[in-house]
Amino acid sequence: MWPCKIYKYSGYGSEDLIFAPGETILGALPENDYLYSSGASFATAYVIGAATLVISEYNDINSNDSAQILKISKKSITNDSPDTHDIIDAKKGLEKAKVMEK
């Protein structure tokens, strides 16, 4: 599993529902190439992508519902450090959304 660390400059606190790993994020480049990069801008794309996937698949689910679904559709990642972080599980989010829509 990848390092999955929260970027040191990311803003988060007790009110945040969701955040994504901000370090060592795999990104695409032209000509079928890839790079690893860090930063909140890279991490945000993963959160938005997962939320959009849920909303596009289930039309009756609004953005607040989508955020709640993603919050309960997380998995814990343990690093080499004693810290454990939760990350979005988009597949589980779609399964939860299917149940909510009924």
Side-chain angles (χ1 to χ4, degrees):
M1 184 70 55
W2 66 96
C4 196
K5 293 182 182 177
I6 297 169
Y7 190 56
K8 63 185 173 185
Y9 297 114
S10 292
Y12 59 91
S14 62
E15 297 298 316
D16 291 335
L17 293 176
I18 302 168
F19 51 93
E23 292 189 11
T24 320
I25 300 168
L26 183 62
L29 291 173
E31 298 185 25
N32 215 18
D33 202 4
Y34 300 91
L35 83 135
Y36 284 97
S37 193
S38 298
S41 297
F42 282 88
T44 300
Y46 282 89
V47 175
I48 296 300
T52 302
L53 181 64
V54 169
I55 291 169
S56 68
E57 190 69 24
Y58 300 99
N59 296 331
D60 293 338
I61 292 176
N62 63 35
S63 59
N64 290 332
D65 292 338
S66 177
Q68 190 62 32
I69 287 166
L70 294 178
K71 183 179 177 186
I72 62 174
S73 302
K74 59 189 178 185
K75 60 183 172 183
S76 294
I77 301 295
T78 304
N79 297 314
D80 294 334
S81 70
D83 297 331
T84 299
H85 301 290
D86 296 328
I87 63 168
I88 292 172
D89 184 336
K91 182 179 177 183
K92 190 174 177 183
L94 286 171
E95 292 166 0
K96 296 280 185 185
K98 185 175 184 178
V99 171
M100 270 185 84
E101 189 181 47
K102 292 181 179 179

